[in-house]
Amino acid sequence: MRIHINEKSAEMADDATLLQVRQRFKADADVMIVNGFPATVDARLCDGDRVVLIRRGERPDADELEALMAARHTPGVHARIKRSVVGIAGAGGLGSAIAVALARIGVGTLIIADFDVVEPSNLNRQQYFIDQIGLPKVVALAENLARINPYVRVAAHNLRLTPDNIPQLFGEVDVLTEAFDGADQKAMLVETFLGYCPGRPLVAASGMAGYGPSNTLTTRRAAGNFYLVGDLESAAGPGEGLMAPRVGIAAHHQANAVLRLLLGEEPG
């Protein structure tokens, strides 16, 4: 039978077991993953199985690293999302968290646009560090994503999005995520993108301020290819600020909606 070991094809006897494979290919491995799930006992393998063998603390070469980073994904998922292009409009609390999540799952290309710089009040909820204060957000975010997953291509645009440049920047994405603060900016992006790219999905967010219940944040299909995340009510204002937990929940709703769309599934 033929199986994959650390993403390399290998021919094995039909009755081969996991421990036999470890002994033959990486006897010092102390982490074994079979078809995306950790294995702790010996088991008979089947034709087409994907086995990942990892030695804790060992840094693999570049050819092997990407495969090991994706080892916990369901077989076949990584190859599909690696070909994908996702746009992120805004690099604040939502956008920076969406970008981190999509980089960790290995989306092939992220196109990110924002005109702002990192400042101290961002650090309560945005994916930046103290030593990045003053940097353009897209520059700082690109640096952080490269440290997380160097195999994701990041196209960072330090500019203000307008109806004139949105079609040029995001016209070829598979999915666009809206990650703005202001209602007027959100409306402008939605109207522009859906007008120019009516067949491409847009995942937006509205209502995530404060520290209300997590489960009031939902993903719903608003219309056509337009999906909306949030509770649609809790706006930031006096006495109700934007905080990392709920903003993060909304951002990960958006990231998961993107993943499902890339895999041909309905979000929500």
Side-chain angles (χ1 to χ4, degrees):
M1 66 177 174
R2 184 164 292 278
I3 64 175
H4 285 79
I5 302 165
N6 289 11
E7 293 304 305
K8 295 180 180 178
S9 180
E11 195 73 32
M12 298 295 297
D14 289 343
D15 60 351
T17 69
L18 178 59
L19 292 184
Q20 289 172 348
V21 167
R22 182 179 69 174
Q23 183 61 35
R24 175 177 167 184
F25 291 94
K26 198 176 185 71
D28 58 355
D30 44 25
V31 176
M32 302 179 293
I33 300 173
V34 180
N35 297 330
F37 193 78
T40 57
V41 297
D42 200 13
R44 182 77 61 86
L45 297 173
C46 299
D47 187 62
D49 279 349
R50 292 182 176 269
V51 177
V52 175
L53 303 172
I54 301 172
R55 180 184 176 188
R56 286 192 176 93
E58 177 183 71
R59 184 165 183 170
D61 61 34
D63 291 337
E64 193 176 16
L65 177 60
E66 185 177 16
L68 298 184
M69 289 173 65
R72 294 297 299 273
H73 293 170
T74 303
V77 167
H78 184 65
R80 295 171 68 181
I81 60 177
K82 184 176 172 60
R83 297 190 296 266
S84 302
V85 179
V86 176
I88 303 176
L94 290 172
S96 61
I98 293 167
V100 167
L102 295 181
R104 289 195 184 280
I105 64 172
V107 167
T109 300
L110 297 176
I111 301 174
I112 306 171
D114 196 300
F115 68 92
D116 208 355
V117 300
V118 179
E119 47 97 353
S121 69
N122 299 150
L123 300 180
N124 80 319
R125 68 193 184 281
Q126 301 183 21
Q127 304 302 307
Y128 301 108
F129 301 94
I130 291 174
D131 60 1
Q132 293 178 316
I133 290 173
L135 286 178
K137 287 184 179 179
V138 293
V139 172
L141 186 55
E143 291 178 355
N144 296 342
L145 298 179
R147 293 183 66 190
I148 291 168
N149 188 344
Y151 302 101
V152 173
R153 176 180 175 268
V154 178
H157 299 277
N158 184 28
L159 49 75
R160 184 185 293 272
L161 288 168
T162 69
D164 293 329
N165 59 28
I166 287 170
Q168 177 184 357
L169 289 176
F170 298 126
E172 299 302 318
V173 300
D174 296 304
V175 184
L176 177 63
T177 57
E178 175 275 315
F180 287 149
D181 289 333
D184 56 337
Q185 295 174 303
K186 292 174 181 288
M188 180 275 294
L189 181 78
V190 170
E191 181 180 355
T192 303
F193 184 75
L194 294 182
Y196 277 93
C197 307
R200 298 180 188 272
L202 171 62
V203 181
S206 178
M208 69 217 62
Y211 48 88
S214 299
N215 291 341
T216 59
L217 302 178
T218 62
T219 301
R220 69 207 78 191
R221 187 173 193 164
N225 288 321
F226 180 38
Y227 300 87
L228 196 54
V229 167
D231 63 20
L232 309 186
E233 295 180 358
S234 55
E240 188 165 49
L242 292 167
M243 303 173 70
R246 278 191 115 224
V247 171
I249 292 167
H252 284 88
H253 264 268
Q254 288 184 272
N256 196 54
V258 170
L259 176 59
R260 288 182 60 78
L261 287 164
L262 294 177
L263 296 175
E265 302 288 343
E266 180 71 11

